[in-house]
Amino acid sequence: MSNAYSKDLERWLPRLISVWRASRGREDGPEGRLTPQEVKEVGAGVKQLSLGLTRERQLAGARYMDDPRLLGAYLLFYWPVSYAQARQVLGELPNRPRHVLDLGSGPGPVAFAAMDAGASEVTAADRSKPALNLARELATEAGEALATREWDPLKKNATLPEGQYDLITMGHVVNELYGATDEALKPRAALLESVLTKVKKGGSLLVMEPALRETSRNLLKVRDLLVERGYAIRAPCMYRGACPALVKETDWCHAERAWPMPRVVEELARVAGFHKESLKMSYLLVAPKGEPWPEPPPGRLFRIVSESLEGKGRQRYIGCGPEGRVGLAMQERHRSEKNEKFFHLQRGDVIEATDLETKGDGFALGENAEVRMVAQAGRGVPPAPKPPEAPREPAAPVPPAKP
């Protein structure tokens, strides 16, 4: 996460703590940090949420945000995490959004991330009244205007808020809808299709999910259903066919970003008994129906979709690009100024590589290989340059008027 994102998030932390204390009927406490007793209390809620949403999954789809203790745990731990994740992904948008709708907003981490990323009008929509109340209180604390709406996708005849939007976000929502079996995939895809009708031309739908194997693979399966129905993916995919990460049951695709963890998050993670050194999430940016896939710049491009797989005398990653999902490896002896970047790549970076030789499950980069950074993780891939316009034919001379 860049320093700008960190500074924005640091401004939110005292507000989160203040709103949480007010919701619990507490006035006293150190500004911007929790007391040891508060850390212990909230940490127990964080642990319960983590077990219920990532391991046992019994809270997925439940109305856990109506429980004050769990909502408070979400506000102080998962809110900063979701905010930081959203700021990372929003950096890949082709255009800065003005009008944003955040569906399944909870207390608004993604909504406020969009606001801080430059949106001028943001609407947060959720089925939990307590969560929307906290979102409004946070907006008041921050001196920002935030519209709120009630929205429950599981309610019969549920309707989306009126209007058209440059960006619609759904952060950690879709995986909790319609159950946990493959039968949930089609209604999830149908919901996203209905949401996409509310996205303006040139706009995007952002779907962000947990980086678990199950939730990530299910998002990719929904992606394939949308691609089959003619939708283009703006990011992270450059491959236009069925997702190659689904071929093997052991594979999945997720993003991972380093970030300076806020003190509150670090304390709560420690008490809850788990580590949170990096941001991990799976995401899609989907274009509305009828818009083409982005044309990448020329060259053989690959997005790095694995951590470093360094071995004896070589560096290796898994890459995915217009050619599909492949291994990319280079021997240490072929290292040079022209390919030095290959030895320092992060998951999510997009590179152009030359001098590729087919080998094993992908390509080996040879001794003359050049590696160019096309887009760092969290930044959009620049579009292909437009072809130069053909010179216009000179206009024919106008004959003089007859006397």
Side-chain angles (χ1 to χ4, degrees), residues 284-296:
L284 293 175
L285 282 170
V286 189
K289 192 71 173 280
E291 295 208 14
W293 285 75
E295 279 299 333

Side-chain angles (χ1 to χ4, degrees), residues 321-337:
E323 300 173 58
R325 183 182 174 95
V326 295
L328 299 170
M330 178 182 282
Q331 298 295 322
E332 181 73 32
R333 67 178 185 272
H334 293 154
R335 191 169 185 165
S336 70
E337 282 186 21

Side-chain angles (χ1 to χ4, degrees), residues 314-363:
R314 70 164 189 180
Q315 179 63 281
R316 187 172 184 271
Y317 306 93
I318 303 298
C320 192
E323 300 173 58
R325 183 182 174 95
V326 295
L328 299 170
M330 178 182 282
Q331 298 295 322
E332 181 73 32
R333 67 178 185 272
H334 293 154
R335 191 169 185 165
S336 70
E337 282 186 21
K338 292 181 179 180
N339 57 47
E340 178 67 26
K341 285 187 174 66
F342 187 79
F343 293 85
H344 308 284
L345 296 173
Q346 303 295 317
R347 191 192 294 261
D349 289 341
V350 177
I351 60 167
E352 178 195 356
T354 65
D355 192 25
L356 302 175
E357 177 189 347
T358 301
K359 197 166 186 180
D361 65 351
F363 299 112

Side-chain angles (χ1 to χ4, degrees), residues 230-249:
Y231 291 90
I233 308 299
R234 298 200 190 282
C237 311
M238 292 184 285
Y239 187 67
R240 303 186 182 189
C243 179
L246 292 175
V247 174
K248 295 180 183 177
E249 281 292 327

Side-chain angles (χ1 to χ4, degrees), residues 93-171:
L93 288 172
N95 306 299
R96 185 171 70 173
R98 297 293 184 182
H99 301 92
V100 178
L101 172 63
D102 182 22
L103 293 173
S105 64
V110 180
F112 289 114
M115 200 176 283
D116 287 347
S120 53
E121 293 182 23
V122 181
T123 300
D126 200 273
R127 64 181 179 178
S128 170
K129 291 181 181 180
L132 290 177
N133 286 339
L134 288 188
R136 286 190 290 267
E137 288 166 18
L138 283 171
T140 301
E141 282 273 330
E144 300 283 1
L146 176 74
T148 59
R149 300 284 185 276
E150 285 190 43
W151 176 74
D152 184 351
L154 300 180
K155 210 172 187 178
K156 193 175 181 180
N157 301 322
T159 57
L160 292 161
E162 291 295 320
Q164 294 286 304
Y165 301 87
D166 302 305
L167 173 68
I168 298 180
T169 60
M170 301 181 77

Side-chain angles (χ1 to χ4, degrees), residues 164-218:
Q164 294 286 304
Y165 301 87
D166 302 305
L167 173 68
I168 298 180
T169 60
M170 301 181 77
H172 305 295
V173 177
V174 177
N175 75 95
E176 297 189 17
L177 300 177
Y178 311 116
T181 67
D182 279 353
E183 293 175 359
L185 300 176
K186 287 185 178 179
R188 288 176 186 173
L191 173 63
L192 297 188
E193 281 200 273
S194 68
V195 170
L196 280 159
T197 64
K198 294 282 188 177
V199 177
K200 294 178 184 176
K201 184 178 180 181
S204 302
L205 165 64
L206 164 61
V207 183
M208 197 166 65
E209 296 280 69
L212 304 169
R213 176 178 170 277
E214 176 193 348
T215 53
S216 299
R217 285 182 64 85
N218 283 342

Side-chain angles (χ1 to χ4, degrees), residues 43-59 70 73 77-78 212 272-276:
V46 170
K47 187 172 184 178
Q48 186 180 344
L49 271 179
S50 177
L51 288 171
L53 293 174
T54 64
R55 296 186 197 174
E56 299 163 6
R57 301 283 291 163
Q58 83 274 13
L59 287 179
L70 295 182
F77 184 81
Y78 287 103
L212 304 169
F274 50 82
H275 302 286
K276 205 78 181 173

